[in-house]
Amino acid sequence: MMEKENKKIIRLDFNENPFGFPKEILEKVAREIDSDYIARYTEAPTKELSDCLVNYIKDTTRANFIDERWITVSAGADDGIKLLMELRPKRVVLFPPTYFYYYFFVKGLRLNYEEFPLIDDMYIPKVELKEGDMVFLPNPNNPTGHMFDDEEILRLLNSPATVVIDEAYFEFSWKTSVKFLKDYKNLVILRTFSKAFAFAGQRFGYIIAHPEMIERINTVREEYNLSSFVMRLAVEALKNRFLFFGRIKEIEMERLRMAEELENLGLEPFPSQSNFLYFKVEDAEKVRDKLREMGICVRVLWKGIRVSIGKKEENDAFIAALKEILG
Ligand SMILES: Cc1ncc(COP(=O)(O)O)c(C=O)c1O
């Protein structure tokens, strides 16, 4: 009994960063901030944070037109999604399989929505988009992990709809739609620190869009929507970003290895540019439950299994368990 209780559960179901947040950054921030900084209301984003974000966006995209007017901040990308939906579009357009939380907010806010399934789970179908539509598209996609290409995104942008590209996994693909912002006022880009920056429990995200769109979003955003501590931590993470990028490389190598291992089991993982893999398998729910009994958590989404890339030993345990289950 005791032994069972003490067995460490392997969490491969939330696409979190398995390496944790660097302790040295956490300790530096804790040493540097004073108690008054914690005690005061602090408008978000601070100047320091917004400068660091602009610098990061420019460094990683060469989009030199971006300045602080082009960004706003949210308590994670989910909060960014909610802020956008609070602008109350006439119709939300989704392309399943997609990020399941879009449905949570659409339903919670009682918005009108329509779904157009991806062709072969990969390609965006032709849809007539209208004024008042808001499209949500994760790129790389979740749960499949694959990237939509620029032509598909341009097809959406060349419409009267607001097009929200959710780049939660940007640092795993290094491909972005930021370059389209200059020409498309209807484009909104969502980002998060939850994945690459190992920040999921701290809740920090940012939104990049034309200043007019940012102004609209700020009308539904609370001025103090982020903790002052989180903002300091985000600044320090950005200043030390290369600490995180090394870990991303490791995750990428593990993803390639895991994909090969899955193929060796006769499975067909989708091509992924994120920190997870997705594959279809018969009785996915049964497989998930058996994995759970063996102490490994994965997710079933749209009848497929999505597994996060963990540390090497966690991935090995997952592959060994799957091998046993599939016989
Ligand atoms: C596509 C996508 N968007 C948004 C989020 C939410 O991220 P956050 O933790 O920043 O709310 C996730 C998290 O899994 C995601 O996969």
Side-chain angles (χ1 to χ4, degrees), residues 14 76-78 81 99 102 138 142 166 168-169 192 194-195 203-204:
F14 276 99
D78 282 345
I81 294 162
Y99 180 46
Y102 299 145
N142 179 0
D166 179 345
Y169 302 94
T192 178
S194 291
K195 313 298 175 181
R203 318 305 300 131
F204 176 64

Side-chain angles (χ1 to χ4, degrees), residues 3 22 52 66 102 138 198 202 241 247 261:
E3 197 186 322
C52 278
I66 300 283
Y102 299 145
Q202 296 311 300
R241 51 186 176 262
R247 297 298 207 184
E261 295 274 15

Side-chain angles (χ1 to χ4, degrees), residues 186-198:
N186 57 338
L187 170 61
V188 181
I189 292 174
L190 292 178
R191 295 269 183 88
T192 178
F193 269 35
S194 291
K195 313 298 175 181
F197 289 100

